[in-house]
Amino acid sequence: MPPIRTLILSGGGGRGAFHAGVYRYLSEISWQPDIVVGTSIGAVNGAAIAQGIPADALERIWLTLREKDIQGLPPGMKPLARWFANRAWKAALGVPLPSVPPEEATSPEPASFWPPLPLLPGWLGEKLVGKWVNLLDTGPLKRTLRQTFGLDESALASSPVTLLIAATSVQTGRRVLFSNRDILNRWTGKARPDVIQGITINRIMASCSIPLVYPWTRDEETGDVYWDGAVVANTPLGAALDVVRDAPVEIPMEVVVVLMTPWWDEADDSPRRSRGLPQSFDEAITWTLDWALLASFRERLRQIRFFNALAEQEIEKGVQPRQHRLVHVRIAAPHDFFPAARILDYDEYSRTLIRLGKEAAARAFEG
């Protein structure tokens, strides 16, 4: 019997074109996932894949995306703050960002203004700076998910592909998974408390809500408020095993994990550039972010290898019935770091990211 195929898409914002390149390669070798698990921009691309959007269409979408399709300045920013913000964004992204109209905005309006100019009276600071608690607004992203990606909640609900997307509860720090299927714990047979049934545009937005940069997202059904899933779980592997709890354990699972960070195993040499030290503030931010995201994946991979060892012992000793499924993991990752600014950058570099993603997938399967 063919293995159960699972695709894990990590977060990374504007780096998400890398996913499109990996998916292009997978489609060319007729590798179609039964399960997709996505975090942040991985939730967006994962939803597109689960809905059945072809690889060439996903690639075309990424080639057309620009910063204004994803984000803008929150409407609560006043002229002085907008002037300073756009000088910073133009330096980091190459373009200024427009203000998001209030009717499209996703940003909450705080009770008081943020006082970057504490020497000024409150009324004057509020008039010059405005009231806002996040640097950017994601109203354009919400429109883009529906109009450009064409995501449809009913199509996601009826998809034969199981989709899970990760978010982080702002008030508890708990990792939550939204799913288009009910997921039962493979050991107890009971519903997993961390999985909430139903994929909506708002929940995809929740998975993308980078703390401080983007506004948090309130889920109307649960009443909870969420940040980006990568805050606590950039590559949640474990839930995929619960999806297939009713499949015979003799059927192995093949997992493709797409990382936005250079990857090497403990026995391999690290990337050449990481053998030195960061040479700028930008590089220091990039390394800090990437190593934090990679640490949780390394821990999950150790767990997978531990359970694989138990499965191999069961096979060797002829244990019946077996309790552990073999999980074969392939990792598609870039050779080098992507600058941290690329998380917010959507431009013509996406073409290069698509090529790098395809090359990384080829290494994972042909190496």
Side-chain angles (χ1 to χ4, degrees), residues 21 32 38-39 99 117 127 149 199 215 248 308:
Q32 291 297 321
T39 301
S99 291
L117 305 173
K127 186 173 182 178
F149 281 88
I199 303 287
N308 275 348

Side-chain angles (χ1 to χ4, degrees), residues 18-210:
F18 188 83
H19 292 159
V22 172
Y23 189 52
R24 159 71 78 172
Y25 178 87
L26 296 179
S27 297
E28 289 176 357
I29 64 170
S30 299
W31 195 100
Q32 291 297 321
D34 304 297
I35 303 164
V36 177
V37 184
T39 301
S40 196
I41 199 63
V44 174
N45 286 329
I49 292 169
Q51 189 171 304
I53 294 176
D56 57 347
L58 185 60
E59 188 175 307
R60 285 196 300 271
I61 289 171
W62 273 98
L63 290 175
T64 63
L65 287 179
R66 294 297 180 264
E67 290 87 354
K68 63 181 175 59
D69 301 315
I70 306 297
Q71 61 223 352
L73 301 181
M77 271 190 182
K78 293 298 175 66
L80 181 63
R82 289 201 300 270
W83 184 82
F84 276 108
N86 261 327
R87 284 181 66 87
W89 292 127
K90 189 170 183 180
L93 308 179
V95 295
L97 295 173
S99 291
V100 177
E103 63 273 13
E104 186 183 48
T106 56
S107 299
E109 183 174 324
S112 60
F113 85 106
W114 176 63
L117 305 173
L119 299 179
L120 294 178
W123 66 270
L124 182 58
E126 183 169 331
K127 186 173 182 178
L128 294 175
V129 177
K131 294 194 293 185
W132 41 278
V133 291
N134 42 274
L135 297 174
L136 296 172
D137 187 278
T138 49
L141 172 60
K142 198 166 194 175
R143 170 173 30 88
T144 295
L145 292 180
R146 291 194 183 278
Q147 296 180 5
T148 306
F149 281 88
L151 297 183
D152 178 81
E153 294 165 2
S154 60
L156 291 169
S158 60
S159 171
V161 177
T162 300
L163 174 65
L164 299 104
I165 60 176
T168 304
S169 170
V170 173
Q171 293 160 301
T172 67
R174 185 170 63 100
R175 194 283 315 276
V176 171
L177 292 169
F178 299 110
S179 174
N180 62 349
R181 302 279 187 280
D182 288 324
I183 309 296
L184 303 180
N185 184 288
R186 62 188 179 279
W187 305 115
T188 66
K190 297 179 180 179
R192 285 183 57 134
D194 61 337
V195 176
I196 299 172
Q197 206 276 333
I199 303 287
T200 65
I201 297 297
N202 218 42
R203 289 174 173 178
I204 296 171
M205 294 280 294
S207 185
C208 299
S209 299
I210 303 172

Side-chain angles (χ1 to χ4, degrees), residues 236-316:
L237 282 165
L241 292 169
D242 285 345
V243 172
V244 295
R245 64 181 295 273
D246 293 328
V249 75
E250 289 76 18
I251 302 175
M253 177 178 284
E254 184 177 22
V255 180
V256 174
V257 180
V258 186
L259 301 176
M260 307 290 197
T261 302
W263 163 261
W264 72 98
D265 214 334
E266 280 83 350
D268 301 331
D269 288 335
S270 63
R272 177 188 55 78
R273 196 155 130 205
S274 73
R275 294 171 210 163
L277 292 171
Q279 298 301 305
S280 66
F281 185 72
D282 178 64
E283 283 196 1
I285 293 175
T286 299
W287 288 32
T288 300
L289 175 64
D290 284 353
W291 294 159
L293 295 177
L294 196 60
S296 62
F297 172 67
R298 286 193 181 279
E299 186 59 36
R300 282 162 178 76
L301 190 58
R302 290 189 191 99
Q303 293 172 356
I304 290 292
R305 288 171 172 169
F306 171 74
F307 283 112
N308 275 348
L310 295 179
E312 289 163 356
Q313 289 177 15
E314 290 175 349
I315 294 170
E316 183 180 347

